[in-house]
């Protein structure tokens, strides 16, 4: 059946490039010949949920399903109704961030793209969920549950990918206006204009803008303020699917942190110092404060005003420009080219205690950012002396300029055989600094970006707590083949990434956790400090020269196969299987930490994470039912884990070694009649760490281990399942979604949070895992066409966490419940911080379209 329908269906699919199923234009072009071959009524899915007929375990949501979510919602919350995905939103509205895993892979191991360009941070691969594109301009989102596309320009994905694409401008003039209001001070406006065809050749565009303001849900005095602008210009080239397009997004976000509390339930502590014990305890205030009053001639100490986590401002300015194009070069030859540029300016807030005096480096008074404090050598608070300590703003600042291109050449040999060659390039200039700035008298910031006008020391140098320049460079070539052999389709591909990390640290590295001493270009101060600290000793490694500012270059490459099969058992049922390998180059923090060690030490060459991923499943697709069940297995090697080192008082990275992961994902959507659709999904996840992990090596050479062998990875739920329905009855449509998320271990050693030293805890602060929880959401629309306002005008209502469940929200798994130092002392790890799950939240929207 695939052979008979291949040509006609592929041509029909390429005539509508908005119906995109993968990430880059080249992947879309290649995949659609495989996906859209059983008729458009099947390929468009059931009630917005799509199970593509590929060799990969994949699930998709169309605009129909996406738009049922609360306006302004993060796209990652929207995909929470897909199997394998577990997302914890920090608030109900999508502008405050969150935490995500897919098949247990944390978000820094998941590649997320928009129109093919990577959105993961180029340094640490983090995803910033509060900065995603407005869902009103997203056409479709797809999730590869266990593998990447062959041209994915990523150094981060050891497993899953999330791909979403911008809508194509309409051929007709149109306007969409959305006004939304909800609890906790939420107010959002969104507007979009489609120009319609501007020329006879079909040139058209859309432009949109949105603004969100709200409170910070739990922290009563906190605020969120976000603006976003989107646009796309689209020019079709002929009638065979060729086109050129340029799109752009710019996002400005200012928000307080909130809802992050220690995971402990001991008596005598209250929010925000412990996890709330009642629903009422979720909400809290922080008392107003004033900075310490300066007093001439006296040694003033800095107070804590302005240092509170919730008072911190988390600012970000992010933008990108995305090009995409498709050109038919010959009867069977198609070229796709997607260039891009991205810009990031962001920091995480935070303060430090600045010293007006100087630092004594072996008898030499110097200025600099030393021992975690800036020494300015000048009067900061205006009281005429140099005796004081002063609270200053001191965030970790990041500015990134990133360019990339994905090029793909498809050659159709005949009706049954297709080849593709692809090249991907990604170059990010990642500048990480740590300038300081003054605070207002009440602890608030004057400018959330102190890099704009940083404080200078007595020599006119801007002091920084870190100062490093990174270039993350990727060259990748890939090849892919698809063959049609009766009922059997074979996909075979390989990508070969060449990843270079060119890193320069302008500060001296003084610990294995990456702690640095910064002299900001003052060579005399640097020389004095190095002379006073000539060597460093690490048990098990040796004594070596102190790490001065330096540059190091790391190279990683590996051929990564991606092989899959689809066999049509009937016209509706297919069996499929896929094998792929994933690779994640070490992130910048881990690489900079390695600067502490001499280049000849094993610790100076962090190894990349690697995965072998296997999928096998069955799929049923008809005009009324889409269903899929997948069994999967992942063999993980050199998996990194973080641990808190009590001697260094910093987080350090350990190699967790080998991990085996396996599970089952399933989902089904059914539309028995046009007015009703239902769906259900579920996942089971198992993982087993194979080795114990070294926590420390004592001065006598004894190794102290975290007992992780045979234990389960932390941070990922043991299971998820849920379902929902949508009904459309005349002028009213409504639906509901429910999802239960299983328990999650806090530590990789699967031990409880405890106090005390040694193997016997003094007390248990929290059990080994967080309890399961269930969230139920409802949505409804009241159409206003009966009032003569047209089909595109309606009221929409969204109720999230309808039963006001009190639950532990997002957190990252931690390595061990204990820590150890070089003397062999074992201590309990501090209680990790987690997010409070968002409360019941109601919002209403008026959507006007014409």
């Amino acid at each position: 059946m695939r052979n008979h329908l291949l040509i006609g269906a592929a041509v029909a699919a390429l005539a509508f490039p908005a119906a995109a199923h993968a990430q880059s234009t080249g992947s879309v072009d290649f995949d659609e010949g495989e996906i859209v071959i059983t008729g458009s009524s099947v390929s468009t899915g059931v009630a917005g949920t799509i199970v593509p007929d590929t060799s990969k375990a994949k699930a998709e949501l169309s605009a129909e399903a996406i738009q049922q979510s609360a306006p302004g919602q993060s796209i990652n919350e929207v995909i929470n109704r897909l199997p394998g995905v577990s997302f914890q939103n920090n608030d109900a509205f999508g502008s405050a961030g969150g935490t995500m895993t897919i098949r247990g892979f944390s978000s820094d191991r998941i590649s997320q793209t928009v129109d093919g360009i990577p959105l993961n941070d180029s340094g640490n691969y983090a995803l910033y969920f509060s900065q995603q594109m407005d869902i009103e301009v997203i056409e479709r989102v797809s999730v590869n549950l266990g593998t990447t596309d062959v041209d994915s320009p990523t150094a981060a994905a050891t497993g899953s990918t999330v791909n979403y694409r911008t809508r194509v401008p309409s051929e007709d003039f149109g306007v969409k206006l959305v006004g939304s209001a909800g609890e906790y001070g939420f107010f959002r406006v969104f507007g979009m204009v489609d120009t319609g065809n501007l020329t006879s050749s079909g040139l058209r565009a859309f432009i949109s803008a949105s603004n969100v303001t709200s409170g910070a849900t739990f922290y009563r005095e906190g605020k969120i303020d976000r603006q976003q602008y989107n646009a796309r210009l689209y020019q079709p080239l002929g009638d065979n699917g060729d086109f050129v397009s340029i799109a752009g997004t710019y996002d400005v976000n200012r928000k307080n942190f909130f809802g992050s509390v220690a995971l402990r339930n001991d008596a005598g502590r209250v929010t925000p110092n412990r996890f709330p014990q009642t629903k009422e305890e979720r909400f809290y205030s922080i008392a107003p404060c004033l900075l310490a009053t300066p007093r001439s001639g006296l040694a003033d100490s800095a107070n804590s005003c302005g240092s509170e986590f919730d008072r911190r401002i988390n600012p970000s300015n992010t933008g990108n420009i995305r090009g995409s194009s498709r050109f038919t070069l010959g009867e069977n030859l198609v070229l796709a080219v997607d260039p891009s540029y991205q810009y990031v300016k962001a920091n995480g807030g935070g303060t430090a205690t600045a010293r007006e005096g100087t630092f004594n480096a072996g008898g030499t008074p110097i200025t600099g950012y030393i021992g975690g404090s800036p020494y300015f050598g000048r009067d900061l608070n205006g009281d005429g002396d140099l005796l004081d300590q002063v609270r200053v703003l001191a965030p970790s600042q990041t500015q990134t300029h990133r360019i990339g291109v994905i090029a793909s050449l498809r050659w159709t040999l005949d009706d049954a055989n297709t080849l593709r060659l692809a090249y991907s390039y990604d170059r990010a200039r990642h500048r990480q600094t740590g300038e300081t700035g003054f605070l207002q008298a009440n602890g608030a910031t004057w400018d959330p970006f102190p890099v704009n006008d940083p404080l200078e020391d007595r020599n006119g140098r801007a002091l920084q707590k870190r100062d490093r320049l990174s270039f993350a460079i990727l060259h990748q070539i890939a090849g892919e083949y698809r063959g049609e052999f009766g009922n059997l389709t074979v996909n075979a591909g390989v990508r070969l990434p060449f990843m270079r990390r060119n890193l320069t640290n302008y500060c001296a590295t003084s610990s294995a956790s990456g702690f640095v001493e910064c002299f900001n270009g003052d060579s005399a101060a640097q020389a004095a400090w190095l002379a006073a600290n000539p060597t460093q000793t690490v048990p098990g490694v040796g004594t070596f020269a102190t790490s001065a500012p330096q540059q190091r270059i790391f190279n990683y490459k590996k051929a990564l196969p991606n092989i899959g099969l689809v066999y049509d058992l009937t016209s509706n049922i297919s069996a499929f299987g896929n094998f792929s390998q994933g690779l994640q180059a070490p992130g910048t923090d881990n690489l900079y930490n390695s600067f502490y060690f001499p280049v000849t030490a094993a610790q100076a060459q962090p190894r990349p994470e690697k995965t072998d991923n296997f999928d096998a499943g069955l799929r049923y697709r008809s005009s009324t039912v889409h269903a899929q069940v997948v069994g999967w297995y992942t063999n993980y090697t050199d998996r990194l884990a973080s641990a808190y080192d009590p001697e260094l008082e910093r987080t350090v990275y350990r190699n967790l070694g080998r991990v085996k992961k396996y599970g089952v994902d399933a989902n089904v959507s059914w539309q028995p009649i046009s007015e009703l659709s239902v769906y259900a999904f579920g996942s089971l996840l198992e993982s087993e760490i194979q080795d114990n992990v070294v926590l420390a090596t004592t001065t006598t050479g004894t190794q102290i281990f975290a007992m992780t062998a045979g234990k389960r990875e932390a941070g990922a739920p043991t299971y998820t399942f849920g379902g929902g329905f949508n009904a459309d009855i005349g002028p009213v449509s409504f639906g509901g979604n429910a999802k239960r998320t299983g328990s999650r271990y806090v530590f990789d050693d699967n031990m409880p949070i405890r106090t005390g030293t040694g193997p016997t805890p003094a007390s248990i602060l929290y059990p080994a895992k967080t309890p399961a929880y269930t969230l139920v959401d409802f949505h409804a629309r009241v159409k206003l066409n009966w009032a003569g306002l047209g089909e595109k005008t309606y009221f929409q209502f969204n109720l999230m966490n309808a039963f006001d469940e009190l639950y532990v929200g997002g957190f990252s798994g931690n390595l061990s419940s204990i820590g150890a130092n070089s003397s062999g002392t074992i201590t309990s790890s501090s209680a990790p911080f987690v997010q409070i799950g968002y409360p019941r939240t109601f919002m209403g929207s008026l959507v006007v379209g014409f």
Side-chain angles (χ1 to χ4, degrees), residues 601-623:
Q603 294 87 343
Q605 294 294 328
R607 297 194 296 269
E609 297 184 348
K610 299 178 287 293
T611 55
D612 298 315
N613 304 301
F614 301 86
D615 285 309
L618 288 172
R619 184 178 292 134
Y620 179 88
R621 301 182 345 137
S622 73
S623 60

Side-chain angles (χ1 to χ4, degrees), residues 517-569:
E517 318 300 330
C518 298
F519 309 100
N520 310 111
D522 189 338
S523 57
Q526 176 181 307
W529 186 88
L530 288 172
N533 301 272
T535 62
Q536 302 174 124
T537 300
V538 176
V541 179
T543 298
F544 44 88
T546 298
S547 175
Q550 60 185 287
Q551 177 189 40
R552 292 187 184 181
I553 296 176
F554 302 83
N555 291 292
Y556 300 94
K557 63 181 179 180
K558 181 176 173 58
L560 303 172
N562 198 322
I563 302 169
L565 305 170
V566 180
Y567 187 79
D568 287 340
L569 300 171

Side-chain angles (χ1 to χ4, degrees), residues 5-82:
L5 297 178
L6 177 63
I7 300 176
V11 171
L14 293 174
F16 298 97
H21 299 253
Q23 50 177 0
S24 68
T25 303
S27 288
V28 172
D29 175 66
F30 190 82
D31 280 358
E32 285 189 330
E34 178 185 8
I35 294 171
V36 196
I37 58 175
T38 53
S40 60
S41 63
V42 174
S43 298
T44 54
V46 174
T49 301
I50 306 159
V51 177
D53 198 21
T54 74
S55 60
K56 302 169 184 175
K58 181 183 286 191
E60 299 183 355
L61 295 174
S62 71
E64 176 186 359
I66 294 170
Q67 301 308 317
Q68 294 169 353
S69 301
Q73 188 58 268
S74 169
I75 189 64
N76 299 92
E77 171 68 17
V78 177
I79 64 172
N80 207 23
R81 57 180 279 186
L82 296 177

Side-chain angles (χ1 to χ4, degrees), residues 649-720:
E649 296 185 350
R650 294 289 293 256
T651 297
V652 297
Y653 291 91
R654 317 283 191 188
N655 193 318
L656 199 60
R658 296 173 297 131
V659 180
K660 298 185 184 300
K661 300 156 65 83
Y662 52 93
V664 177
D665 298 319
N667 63 298
V668 58
S669 298
W670 178 40
Q671 189 165 15
I673 57 176
S674 60
E675 295 81 10
L676 177 68
S677 63
V678 295
Y679 69 91
F681 62 90
S683 297
L684 296 175
L685 170 64
E686 294 289 342
S687 67
E688 183 179 331
I689 303 168
Q690 302 299 296
D691 308 301
N692 292 323
V693 179
V694 175
L695 283 178
T697 301
T698 68
T699 54
T700 61
T702 301
Q703 291 183 322
I704 300 174
F705 290 89
M707 306 308 292
T708 53
K711 303 298 176 62
R712 182 190 183 95
E713 290 176 293
T718 53
Y719 64 86
T720 59

Side-chain angles (χ1 to χ4, degrees), residues 288-306:
C289 65
L290 291 174
L291 297 180
T293 302
R295 301 169 298 170
S296 179
L298 298 176
D300 300 315
S301 297
N303 60 22
S304 61
C305 184

Side-chain angles (χ1 to χ4, degrees), residues 82-145:
L82 296 177
V85 179
S86 179
F87 183 71
Q88 288 79 38
N89 220 356
N90 289 352
D91 71 357
F93 306 117
S95 292
T99 305
M100 183 172 72
T101 62
I102 299 179
R103 288 186 175 176
F105 290 104
S106 57
S107 60
D108 56 351
R109 294 173 169 92
I110 297 166
S111 172
Q112 183 154 321
T113 68
V114 54
D115 297 337
I117 74 168
L119 297 177
N120 299 73
D121 186 276
S122 60
N124 61 14
Y125 311 133
L127 286 173
Y128 301 106
F129 303 109
S130 63
Q131 299 167 19
Q132 301 302 310
M133 200 160 69
D134 285 338
I135 61 173
E136 289 90 346
V137 299
I138 297 177
E139 178 67 34
R140 187 171 298 201
V141 58
S142 68
V143 179
N144 288 355
L145 296 175

